[in-house]
Every structure is written in C-alpha cells, then in structure tokens.
Amino acid sequence: MNNKERDEKFFGRGNPSMDLEVVKAEGSYVYGANGKKYVDFLGGAGVGNLGWNVKEIEDAIRKSQRPAYVYPNFYYGKWAELAEILADLAPGNLQKSYRMTGGSEAVEAALEMATLNTGRSKILSVEGSYHGNTLGALSIGASKKNKKFPNLLQGCEKIDLPLNKSRLPEVERLLSGKDVAAIIMEPVIINLGVVIPEAEFMAGLSEICKKTGTLLIMDEAITGFGRTGKMFASEHFNIQSDILCMAKAITAGHAPMGAVITTNEIDKKVGEEIGLYSSYGWHPIAVDASLAALNFLKTNREMLFGNIEAIAEYFKKAISEVNFKKEPEVRILGAAIGIELHDEDYASQIKDKALKEGLLMNTEGSALLFLPNFQMTKDTIQEGINLLKKAV
C-alpha cells in the first residue's frame, strides 16, 4: 500500500486533496515526493509569511530549554512575554491576549467575549466570508456553503458586497435595534479574493458601532503580521477594533497557534467569567516558535516591509503580461494578491494546470489567490509567473 492509498483508506479530508505529496519546504519552494520543485504562491494559505524553514526560528525551537507541557492554570513566563509582544504589535488599545490553538478557536472566543460583554445575542458578518470550521465560525460564514448544517447559531445576519458607503444605511438599520453584539470581518477579505473595503465604509462602520454599542471584531488570522503591508490590515483604515483574532503567521508556520486580544475594558468585564480553557493553547513549543518568528519580523521589519511593497509592484506588472481569456480585475494590497477572473471553472482549471507545471496557488470562487512570503525574490516571482503563463 503506497502513501496515497493509505491516505485514502485512513485519513479524513474535508476538502479534495491536491496531487502533491510534500517531502520538503525551503524558502519559496515546496518539494514533492516525485522529485519536482514547486514555486509556492500558496504560502500555506497565509501561514508562511517569512518563507519555509527559517533557520532562526528552527534553531530557536530546537535549542530552547522548556517544559514538555504547562497546565493552563499555572504561571509560565514565556506566556506573559509573548502576550506583551502581541500587545506591542497590535493596533489601538488592544492589550489582553488569550491562548488559542488556531483561528477557528480564536473566532469562537471572540464571539463569546462579545456576547458576554454586551448581553446581546446577534452577530453581523460579511456574506461569503470564511472564519473557520467550528459551528460558531460556520454560522457567520458563507450562507450557501452551510445550508447542510441544521444546528448553526441563530441570530447571525450578513451584509453583502460591495463594502462601500452605499452599504452603511443597511448596517445602521441592522445595528439600530441594539441587539447585535458585534460585527466580525476580515479588514481585507482574503477569502473572497482580496476584497478591499472602501475607507469611507470602514470609517462609517466604526462610527455606527460606537453609536450603537456594537463591538468591532477584526479577524486577522490571515491579514495579520504584515500580509497587507501593515502589521495588521485594520491599520489601513485608522480604526480601532475591540477584539482581534490572530493565527497562521503568528508562528510563521513552524507550529500551530492562535490568539485573541482585547481591551482592558472588555477584559475586566468578561475575563474571569468566560473561562476559555485550552489544553494545548500556547504549547511551549509553539510559544518558542512564535517568539522567534515575531522577533525575526520585528528585527527585520524595515527590510521585510520594504520587500512587501516591491512584491506588490512586481506582481502588478507581471500579472498584466499574462494573457487571460478576459481582462481580469487585479486586487493587490501588500503581499495579498487576488486575480478576479469572473469564471469559477476557468479559475479552477488554471489552478490545476499550474500545479502540473510546478506552481502552487489557491482559488477563492472565481479568483486566483496568491499569498507569497515576504522574502520572495523578483526572480522567483517571475519564475512563478512564467509557469502561470504556461497554465493559462
């Protein structure tokens, strides 16, 4: 029995597998068991912001002296150290972090915080969005994907795209009853192919939330830690969230971790009531990985963020040279690149053909999605674009 047969017999998958068995990942490349090298525009769906197998992070994990496990109700110095770093990096008045194992758990915790803090039961989100695979996260995600679940949360309402000033009266109507605990959204909606809300919408949304006592939750599981050219994407809009979810690049892919961070004001009201026990939240190995990843990000911030700008400009130019069958809508903010093709089958065909050529990417509906790492060179980008041209 080979590995693929064993996988099919014993390993559960929620999504179809790609025809690639990985044996190594290094820098901007993934290597298959077939001996093929793949240019990685996929980036682990936003996990690998620094590239794969970063020596400084790997060394920190291997050389660290740490306990095998720390019970959640004990003190552990590195938990406080990491929480302090997150407070320093996070925008606005966000200060108190809670330990999570990933993005879905962080979203669930944020929803619990919001409903407990406000005493309200409803949640507002953006139609078509994705926030995780737990029941609460599915309840606020894309409606069309979740009709098969009969036990989703009640009181979850959605607003449709586009997110511009024309949408604000609807938001005000939905929040005016003061029964919505929070609105949750990605500040740049990666999972709809890098949809960038208008600044006027985001400013108006923030004001309506303040006026109605509705909490503003930013899900920055993908957009956090530099992805859009700011440390957190909400900084593009000069708004302050009440709760912010983190995951993925918090360890640069070297270990599983998530976090939810909130203000002292909210924490004082819900902190001792909410619990949020997590057996494996911030496991010592993951904490070492996160401390090393965030230290690398901070130490090399000028170089990395400068390269993010260069990556954005180079992709804009390179994509314009690809001969798609129709003129695409290209949406780029930092190292988040969406290419809207307005045809789901066409996008899916390109993704499949690109894999055979040696290029990894994702699709979101009818859009191609590229999430390259921040250290990717122009030569590697061009190598990937050449493979994309072949696929197209």
Side-chain angles (χ1 to χ4, degrees):
M1 185 183 296
N2 62 35
N3 286 339
K4 187 177 289 187
E5 292 169 336
R6 187 176 290 109
D7 183 287
E8 290 175 357
K9 185 172 183 178
F10 297 108
F11 189 65
R13 291 183 178 272
N15 298 300
S17 61
M18 297 170 69
D19 189 19
L20 169 59
E21 182 181 348
V22 176
V23 295
K24 186 175 79 168
E26 191 85 35
S28 299
Y29 297 93
V30 170
Y31 298 81
N34 57 2
K36 193 176 183 72
K37 181 174 77 170
Y38 297 81
V39 177
D40 188 12
F41 284 1
L42 175 64
V47 169
N49 63 332
L50 303 177
W52 303 123
N53 196 28
V54 179
K55 183 178 186 303
E56 290 87 341
I57 303 174
E58 290 291 337
D59 286 349
I61 295 170
R62 286 175 169 79
K63 295 176 182 178
S64 172
Q65 297 296 314
R66 59 176 171 265
Y69 178 78
V70 180
Y71 176 66
N73 292 342
F74 293 160
Y75 285 106
Y76 182 51
K78 289 186 179 180
W79 286 343
E81 181 184 350
L82 177 55
E84 184 178 13
I85 291 172
L86 295 179
D88 177 59
L89 294 177
N93 300 318
L94 299 168
Q95 184 169 323
K96 217 55 171 302
S97 288
Y98 282 80
R99 307 169 310 114
M100 302 289 140
T101 56
S104 294
E105 191 179 7
V107 166
E108 291 286 336
L111 299 181
E112 290 180 31
M113 283 181 173
T115 52
L116 184 58
N117 182 77
T118 62
R120 303 174 184 179
S121 59
K122 291 184 177 180
I123 302 292
L124 183 63
S125 60
V126 177
E127 185 59 90
S129 59
Y130 172 82
H131 295 283
N133 292 316
T134 51
L135 276 178
L138 288 170
S139 300
I140 59 174
S143 299
K144 70 177 183 179
K145 293 183 179 179
N146 300 323
K147 290 178 181 177
K148 55 191 148 184
F149 297 101
N151 56 340
L152 297 180
L153 299 181
Q154 300 299 305
C156 295
E157 301 192 41
K158 318 285 172 64
I159 55 172
D160 292 314
L161 301 180
L163 300 182
N164 56 29
K165 65 179 181 180
S166 69
R167 191 64 61 198
L168 291 175
E170 180 186 358
V171 173
E172 188 149 25
R173 177 183 62 79
L174 289 168
L175 300 187
S176 61
K178 298 186 178 181
D179 55 355
V180 176
I183 178 166
I184 182 169
M185 63 180 291
E186 290 184 286
V188 173
I189 306 177
I190 303 298
N191 288 296
L192 287 175
V194 191
V195 169
I196 305 167
E198 287 188 0
E200 195 169 351
F201 169 82
M202 295 297 278
L205 172 67
S206 180
E207 285 303 311
I208 295 168
C209 284
K210 290 174 185 174
K211 185 169 67 175
T212 58
T214 308
L215 299 186
L216 187 57
I217 303 172
M218 290 288 112
D219 181 357
E220 300 232 28
I222 299 180
T223 57
F225 305 105
R227 174 55 56 188
T228 64
K230 299 280 189 183
M231 189 61 72
F232 291 92
S234 48
E235 295 176 64
H236 287 287
F237 304 103
N238 195 30
I239 59 172
Q240 292 195 12
S241 56
D242 300 291
I243 304 170
L244 189 146
C245 303
M246 308 174 185
K248 295 186 182 286
I250 195 170
T251 66
H254 291 74
M257 180 185 277
V260 61
I261 187 169
T262 190
T263 63
N264 275 334
E265 181 184 5
I266 292 174
D267 185 69
K268 285 176 182 175
K269 189 170 179 181
V270 306
E272 293 186 4
E273 303 295 326
I274 199 166
L276 296 180
Y277 185 97
S278 178
S279 294
Y280 281 98
W282 291 21
H283 186 279
I285 295 175
V287 172
D288 284 339
S290 184
L291 288 171
L294 298 182
N295 182 61
F296 186 94
L297 187 61
K298 289 172 65 178
T299 302
N300 299 283
R301 182 169 182 161
E302 186 175 346
M303 178 272 289
L304 290 169
F305 278 71
N307 202 47
I308 290 168
E309 289 184 19
I311 285 170
E313 290 304 313
Y314 198 81
F315 266 104
K316 284 178 189 176
K317 177 180 178 296
I319 291 168
S320 70
E321 298 170 358
V322 180
N323 188 28
F324 295 104
K325 67 180 182 181
K326 291 182 180 178
E327 188 71 23
E329 177 188 345
V330 181
R331 301 185 289 257
I332 298 178
L333 192 59
I337 296 114
I339 307 172
E340 179 56 66
L341 301 177
H342 306 287
D343 184 332
E344 286 196 26
D345 289 339
Y346 182 50
S348 181
Q349 288 168 16
I350 291 174
K351 175 186 172 181
D352 292 343
K353 289 178 181 177
L355 176 64
K356 292 177 182 177
E357 294 291 346
L359 174 64
L360 304 179
M361 68 174 79
N362 216 341
T363 54
E364 293 294 343
S366 56
L368 307 181
L369 177 63
F370 302 159
L371 299 171
N373 73 74
F374 307 162
Q375 301 194 79
M376 187 172 284
T377 65
K378 289 182 180 179
D379 286 346
T380 301
I381 293 171
Q382 190 59 56
E383 183 183 355
I385 292 294
N386 290 340
L387 296 170
L388 176 63
K389 288 177 180 178
K390 288 183 180 181
V392 171

